[in-house]
Amino acid sequence: KQWYQRRVHGKQWYQRRVHGKQWYQRRVHGKQWYQRRVHGKQWYQRRVHGGLAYITMKPVFRGQDKVLSRDQTEEWKGIMQIGFVLYHYFHTEQVYNLIRIFISCYVWMTGFGNTAYFLIKKDYSFARVGYMMVRLNWLVFWVCVVLQQDVMLYYICPLHTLFFFVAYFTNAIWSSTNPTLNPETKEWDYSGWKGYTAKLLASFGVLFLIFDVHGVWDVVWDWWYWLLQMDGSMHEWWFRSTLDHFDTWLGILMAFTYPWLDKAMHSLDNLSKGKALAIRAGLATAVGGAMYYWYTTWYLLPKRPYNAIHPYTFWIPLVSYVLMRNLFKVWRLWASSFLGWMGKITLETYIFQYHVYMMYNAKASIAIFQGWPYVNFGVITIIYIVLSKIAFDATQSFCFFLIPRGTKSKPAAIRFFTMLTVVGALYGVCVLITETAPPG
């Protein structure tokens, strides 16, 4: 009997070994198949988007040979937005750290672009502030109202709003120290550089105090719980704002020093070919070395350790891209019109990805044609982009209707706050009707 039991138990043990091995093989083969699918999609996407970018290359506006021209920054935004949306669509978690860099570059542009505007136009009026508030928040306000969503689902909007004000106050306060552009000679006057440097240090100090000194963040932001909470917690806002709290400051700094960078890049074109090539090769080698160190030391870290170091290392790939993208004159004179066009509607494509491109807050994709994933992808993509462009045009039209170009501060403020009062009153009436309506 004991011998028989040993035979039976031995057979069961053998079966478990065999089944376990088969289960393991299915897991391994399934994982390999999944990886091939994901890598195949990524390869396909790179080929398609790379091809579209290449065939739509065109000279920049008026042939302006400028570092970080408007066409170039719009192209940059288009590259990042396509990567950002497809990261959600295909759930490619392995590129999470790259997406974090993209978001930092967006927030950096808030500081760089707005500071460049302030320094050139010297426009610190409420007309500019009102326009930016409507541009950043008009669409997301109505999406939140209609779909009853927390604004933090679309965290980019409050994030850019916050850091717009960082750029605004850094430049508007003590504006007499700001660099000024001579319209005739096109030369910049930096006579007030000491005062502007002091403002930069003060701005950095405020950001460091709020986001890097324990306990200060809670004191500052608890007042905004009613707006910035998500699912009853302020964690999402803390996470998003802390990750990118120095991005805009770096953008302000680079806008302040931009004339020197632009002049340095153009000076290479006036050197002999051999000397210019040697300097460019040295610069490319230095950038490559910095990127290699950053990649191997920080980029390959898992998600949580990388997030901890990201606010202090994001600038390495950002500055590297700026330098390499503008290393040669011919690279500065051409940009992709397709990517630039996509870059103009990034706010709308960001918001609509949650409800048009995908569903359940970007947790699932929409299937119109069952069993035809690439057909679904193509059809939904076209609908998504068209609706985003319509929303962009509508928002822009409303911005200029509300605050026409050239409007002074006082009329702009009156129009802006009148709009807020009317919308607030209508919203209050709707809430009252909803709350007092009988059930059913």
Side-chain angles (χ1 to χ4, degrees):
K1 185 177 180 180
Q2 292 174 345
W3 172 85
Y4 172 76
Q5 289 173 339
R6 284 198 298 273
R7 284 291 297 268
V8 171
H9 294 160
K11 187 177 180 181
Q12 292 172 342
W13 173 85
Y14 173 76
Q15 290 173 338
R16 285 196 298 271
R17 284 292 296 263
V18 171
H19 294 160
K21 186 176 181 181
Q22 292 173 342
W23 174 85
Y24 173 75
Q25 289 173 339
R26 286 196 298 271
R27 283 292 296 262
V28 171
H29 295 159
K31 187 176 181 181
Q32 291 172 343
W33 173 86
Y34 172 75
Q35 290 173 338
R36 286 196 298 270
R37 289 276 296 195
V38 171
H39 295 160
K41 286 177 181 177
Q42 291 175 339
W43 173 86
Y44 172 77
Q45 291 161 11
R46 286 195 293 268
R47 289 292 292 269
V48 171
H49 298 144
L52 284 172
Y54 179 77
I55 64 177
T56 59
M57 294 294 289
K58 69 172 187 177
V60 296
F61 180 67
R62 294 179 180 174
Q64 294 178 340
D65 180 13
K66 296 173 59 178
V67 173
L68 288 173
S69 64
R70 180 64 178 267
D71 290 324
Q72 189 183 125
T73 54
E74 296 289 10
E75 175 196 77
W76 188 3
K77 287 164 63 180
I79 294 170
M80 296 188 296
Q81 188 65 9
I82 290 172
F84 183 72
V85 172
L86 293 183
Y87 161 77
H88 282 156
Y89 191 90
F90 291 108
H91 305 289
T92 48
E93 294 293 334
Q94 61 268 37
V95 296
Y96 170 84
N97 293 352
L98 178 63
I99 300 303
R100 284 255 48 88
I101 296 297
F102 286 175
I103 296 171
S104 287
C105 291
Y106 278 126
V107 181
W108 173 86
M109 287 183 185
T110 295
F112 180 84
N114 282 291
T115 297
Y117 174 88
F118 292 137
L119 297 182
I120 294 172
K121 301 292 186 179
K122 302 182 181 66
D123 177 14
Y124 309 103
S125 67
F126 190 86
R128 177 62 180 177
V129 175
Y131 166 81
M132 289 301 298
M133 293 302 98
V134 176
R135 175 70 187 98
L136 291 172
N137 298 292
W138 183 250
L139 177 61
V140 75
F141 167 77
W142 289 108
V143 171
C144 289
V145 169
V146 173
L147 299 181
Q148 297 182 347
Q149 296 284 356
D150 293 328
V151 71
M152 278 309 300
L153 176 62
Y154 321 97
Y155 67 89
I156 284 294
C157 298
L159 195 67
H160 282 289
T161 300
L162 164 65
F163 290 113
F164 165 78
F165 280 113
V166 171
Y168 176 80
F169 286 118
T170 301
N171 288 282
I173 296 173
W174 200 12
S175 61
S176 60
T177 64
N178 295 358
T180 55
L181 177 64
N182 188 316
E184 296 179 359
T185 63
K186 301 299 181 183
E187 294 292 328
W188 285 88
D189 177 12
Y190 276 85
S191 58
W193 69 271
K194 292 182 180 179
Y196 199 89
T197 302
K199 293 199 297 181
L200 282 172
L201 293 175
S203 178
F204 182 89
V206 171
L207 292 170
F208 181 85
L209 179 66
I210 294 174
F211 293 100
D212 290 282
V213 176
H214 180 72
V216 178
W217 189 95
D218 296 315
V219 174
V220 172
W221 293 110
D222 279 353
W223 294 86
W224 295 91
Y225 175 87
W226 61 275
L227 177 64
L228 299 174
Q229 63 81 30
M230 187 173 187
D231 299 326
S233 170
M234 289 287 281
H235 174 77
E236 186 71 9
W237 177 239
W238 170 83
F239 174 71
R240 300 297 181 182
S241 60
T242 301
L243 273 175
D244 297 304
H245 64 282
F246 285 131
D247 304 354
T248 289
W249 185 86
L250 179 65
I252 299 170
L253 174 64
M254 290 183 68
F256 173 63
T257 58
Y258 170 82
W260 298 327
L261 172 64
D262 188 62
K263 185 176 292 186
M265 286 298 184
H266 282 88
S267 67
L268 295 177
D269 302 326
N270 300 322
L271 300 176
S272 63
K273 289 185 178 180
K275 191 172 183 179
L277 182 60
I279 294 175
R280 287 187 173 109
L283 181 59
T285 302
V287 168
M291 282 297 296
Y292 177 78
Y293 182 81
W294 169 80
Y295 180 82
T296 56
T297 305
W298 295 305
Y299 180 78
L300 295 178
L301 290 173
K303 181 177 179 178
R304 290 183 182 276
Y306 177 78
N307 283 342
I309 200 67
H310 171 80
Y312 315 103
T313 60
F314 76 92
W315 62 271
I316 299 174
L318 189 154
V319 174
S320 297
Y321 177 83
V322 171
L323 292 175
M324 296 306 297
R325 179 64 177 83
N326 295 277
L327 194 57
F328 292 93
K329 180 177 181 178
V330 67
W331 293 359
R332 298 192 295 267
L333 292 176
W334 290 79
S336 167
S337 58
F338 164 70
L339 293 174
W341 186 82
M342 288 295 298
K344 292 178 181 178
I345 58 173
T346 51
L347 182 63
E348 289 72 23
T349 51
Y350 171 79
I351 294 172
F352 282 168
Q353 70 174 315
Y354 292 101
H355 310 295
V356 177
Y357 208 37
M358 290 163 273
M359 57 185 181
Y360 302 125
N361 297 340
K363 302 300 182 186
S365 56
I366 299 172
I368 299 176
F369 306 100
Q370 295 295 333
W372 297 83
Y374 289 107
V375 174
N376 276 311
F377 175 68
V379 172
I380 294 298
T381 297
I382 293 172
I383 296 172
Y384 163 65
I385 292 175
V386 169
L387 290 177
S388 297
K389 182 62 168 63
I390 292 172
F392 168 78
D393 290 339
T395 304
Q396 285 289 85
S397 298
F398 180 74
C399 285
F400 292 120
F401 166 78
L402 181 67
I403 305 176
R405 296 182 187 274
T407 305
K408 302 298 183 181
S409 283
K410 186 174 180 180
I414 293 173
R415 295 170 72 96
F416 180 81
F417 286 108
T418 300
M419 180 272 293
L420 286 185
T421 303
V422 171
V423 172
L426 292 175
Y427 178 72
V429 170
C430 292
V431 170
L432 182 63
I433 293 173
T434 303
E435 295 295 331
T436 58

